[in-house]
Amino acid sequence: MNSVDPAAIDVSTVVDVCADLIRIDTQNFGDDPRTMPERPAADYVVEYLKRYGYDPVIIESKPGRANVILRVPGSDPELPALVVHGHLDVVPAIREDWTVDPFAGEVKDGYVWGRGAVDMKNMDAMILVVLADMKIRGWQPERELIVAFFADEEAGGVWGAQWLVDHHPELFEGATEAISEVGGYSVRVGDETVYLIQTGEKGMDWLTLTAHGRPGHGSQVNNENAITKLASAITRIGEWDWPIQLTDTVLTLLLKVSEITGVPFSEDPKDLGALVAELGPAAPFVGATLSTQANPTRLGGGYKENVIPGSATGAVDMRPLPGTEDEAHAIIEDLAGEGVDVSSIVRTTGFEVSFETEIVERMSQALLAEDPAAIIVPYLMSGGTDNKPLKSLGINGYGFVPMALPADFNFSAMFHGNDERIPVASLEFGTRALARFLAS
Ligand SMILES: [Zn+2]
């Protein structure tokens, strides 16, 4: 046990650290040359940690694409290690679409503004401030920590978490669980404050459709037109009605929301829609987890009005429910039909972890200590995080960035949105709750 009260942490610096990180432009455009290296942000993290006597290492997957790794011994060496991770890259921001400079790290009206303020330089800053506090006041986390700041999360982690898992799995040796982004935040449901802990992620299957046909003159009869075939396939896929299938996580969540609000629960899609709506700003996150989604996202083909091309291509972004990845892929192949090839460009497997675990209990205790009226529920995420590659090492990942948010704050719109910002009070709350959680 620590004799230091973790909640007495000085949280006054977390805003500055978050703003500093926002000022380091780490926009990730994927393969595009506009992608900014994470190295300057990694250097900042390393310098910060060294100031407090830590010895982190930088591991570059390729020049500039930097990850930071640090092991922090736990007070109980018998316990398995916990991975605490954040990513250093951010999605691009277009200056004209914002009311502030997205990379100025402005603090005004009670918010820290800028790209990364919620995704996820907020958590990066919270982790750093808690680690600093451990040294300043002399306390230890109970479990050994493997602290990781990853590159490239916003482009699938190819040069970040996935690369480290593939090339340096030993870095994560001894870890059984992980915490990271998109969970632990509050929403108002009825009269209650509900905290959503992320206990699963849908799969992802980015598909290319290629229709083959008979090329020829645009004036002639052609019943093997690649453009027509592709358009039909895309329409069938886009209009496909995926059945509602409630996973354990989604079922637990919706039953809880029903209990709080009195809105009846049944498998009727209308009732489910009403329940999801009760989640307010989190509804877009949850609404997409009742079934698989497959959205057509690109169409291309042809080069002249009077020439029928021999082929045409389209793209589909499919997010299958965890455990249904193969089945969903087969459905897409069926819908695409004869003469249209389907291939996966990026394909990941979803997962679901238990909500009835000791680590969730500790998350709950940390939240309840800060907000005694908190109701804690699990949810499934429709997108993906770096917890996915870690899962392939047998590490169960949770979304836990503790944040008490104002009831009218549209949190889900902040992710990859314009005028991304985080309330200062939420950052400070989160830092205290994270310290409590790590100390417990
Ligand atoms: Zn993120």
Side-chain angles (χ1 to χ4, degrees):
M1 278 300 282
N2 290 295
S3 54
V4 172
D5 174 12
I9 181 173
D10 173 11
V11 295
S12 65
T13 57
V14 70
V15 165
D16 290 339
V17 177
C18 183
D20 283 349
L21 286 167
I22 289 169
R23 286 182 201 113
I24 304 170
D25 179 354
T26 52
Q27 289 179 93
N28 189 342
F29 287 85
D31 279 342
D32 189 287
R34 285 173 295 175
T35 288
M36 301 293 286
E38 291 87 356
R39 181 70 196 226
D43 286 339
Y44 176 95
V45 166
V46 165
E47 275 164 39
Y48 182 96
L49 290 169
K50 283 193 167 162
R51 231 179 293 149
Y52 295 97
Y54 290 105
D55 199 15
V57 293
I58 288 187
I59 299 173
E60 290 195 334
S61 49
K62 63 177 180 178
R65 306 309 302 269
N67 302 275
V68 181
I69 300 280
L70 169 71
R71 283 210 182 222
V72 180
S75 59
D76 185 347
E78 299 294 305
L79 293 175
L82 171 72
V83 183
V84 178
H85 61 102
H87 59 80
L88 294 172
D89 62 321
V90 294
V91 291
I94 298 169
R95 174 68 183 91
E96 295 74 54
D97 295 341
W98 288 55
T99 60
V100 298
D101 176 347
F103 299 101
E106 257 188 73
V107 182
K108 62 165 189 173
D109 307 331
Y111 291 86
V112 183
W113 299 67
R115 179 56 87 219
V118 308
D119 187 9
M120 65 173 296
K121 288 174 170 174
N122 55 339
M123 177 64 160
D124 295 338
M126 285 157 52
I127 296 169
L128 289 175
V129 170
V130 173
L131 289 172
D133 186 63
M134 289 176 189
K135 292 287 190 182
I136 294 167
R137 295 193 299 143
W139 60 280
Q140 269 189 299
E142 190 179 35
R143 293 170 71 167
E144 180 188 12
L145 304 183
I146 301 168
V147 181
F149 296 90
F150 291 126
D152 202 33
E153 194 276 342
E154 298 293 0
V158 179
W159 303 108
Q162 187 65 57
W163 190 90
L164 288 173
V165 162
D166 291 343
H167 295 84
H168 293 285
E170 75 283 357
L171 292 172
F172 306 100
E173 211 175 281
T176 53
E177 288 163 321
I179 62 161
S180 189
E181 62 183 331
V182 211
Y185 58 91
S186 72
V187 292
R188 198 77 182 154
V189 177
D191 296 327
E192 305 289 348
T193 304
V194 172
Y195 289 78
L196 296 158
I197 291 174
Q198 193 245 99
T199 56
E201 298 180 7
K202 289 174 89 177
M204 188 175 87
D205 200 351
W206 288 353
L207 302 152
T208 299
L209 270 59
T210 309
H212 300 284
R214 185 160 49 80
H217 198 289
S219 68
Q220 292 174 1
V221 174
N222 189 323
N223 51 13
E224 280 181 73
N225 184 319
I227 297 275
T228 310
K229 275 192 208 173
L230 178 71
S232 302
I234 286 283
T235 303
R236 283 192 295 271
I237 292 167
E239 291 180 346
W240 185 249
D241 200 6
W242 294 92
I244 287 177
Q245 272 177 285
L246 302 182
T247 69
D248 289 349
T249 301
V250 179
L251 182 63
T252 306
L253 168 65
L254 294 180
L255 286 171
K256 194 76 199 175
V257 173
S258 172
E259 188 189 312
I260 295 169
T261 59
V263 174
F265 171 87
S266 85
E267 303 257 346
D268 185 317
K270 267 203 246 64
D271 286 351
L272 292 175
L275 275 176
V276 169
E278 291 291 328
L279 286 157
F285 280 156
V286 174
T289 62
L290 308 187
S291 65
T292 291
Q293 310 289 322
N295 283 308
T297 47
R298 273 195 303 121
L299 268 181
Y303 49 92
K304 196 167 184 301
E305 284 68 15
N306 59 354
V307 180
I308 299 167
S311 66
T313 60
V316 171
D317 180 357
M318 177 160 74
R319 308 299 176 115
L321 287 171
T324 71
E325 290 83 359
D326 291 344
E327 192 190 315
H329 189 91
I331 290 173
I332 294 287
E333 282 181 344
D334 278 355
L335 290 171
E338 202 78 0
V340 181
D341 297 336
V342 176
S343 61
S344 296
I345 321 166
V346 183
R347 193 172 177 184
T348 64
T349 306
F351 66 89
E352 219 171 20
V353 296
S354 175
F355 185 63
E356 306 294 327
T357 52
E358 203 185 318
I359 190 171
V360 170
E361 182 53 32
R362 285 168 192 240
M363 291 174 196
S364 302
Q365 291 308 326
L367 288 169
L368 283 163
E370 291 297 320
D371 183 352
I375 294 177
I376 292 124
V377 297
Y379 89 106
L380 177 69
M381 201 187 149
S382 54
T385 75
D386 283 334
N387 276 333
K388 265 203 189 96
L390 292 176
K391 184 72 184 160
S392 66
L393 297 177
I395 298 170
N396 284 342
Y398 292 85
F400 184 62
V401 176
M403 288 270 150
L405 298 169
D408 59 352
F409 182 60
N410 194 350
F411 190 56
S412 61
M414 292 289 127
F415 283 83
H416 303 189
N418 299 330
D419 283 343
E420 184 179 343
R421 60 194 182 279
I422 190 78
V424 169
S426 305
L427 259 182
E428 295 178 347
F429 171 102
T431 307
R432 278 192 304 273
L434 183 65
R436 285 186 190 274
F437 167 74
L438 293 178
S440 69

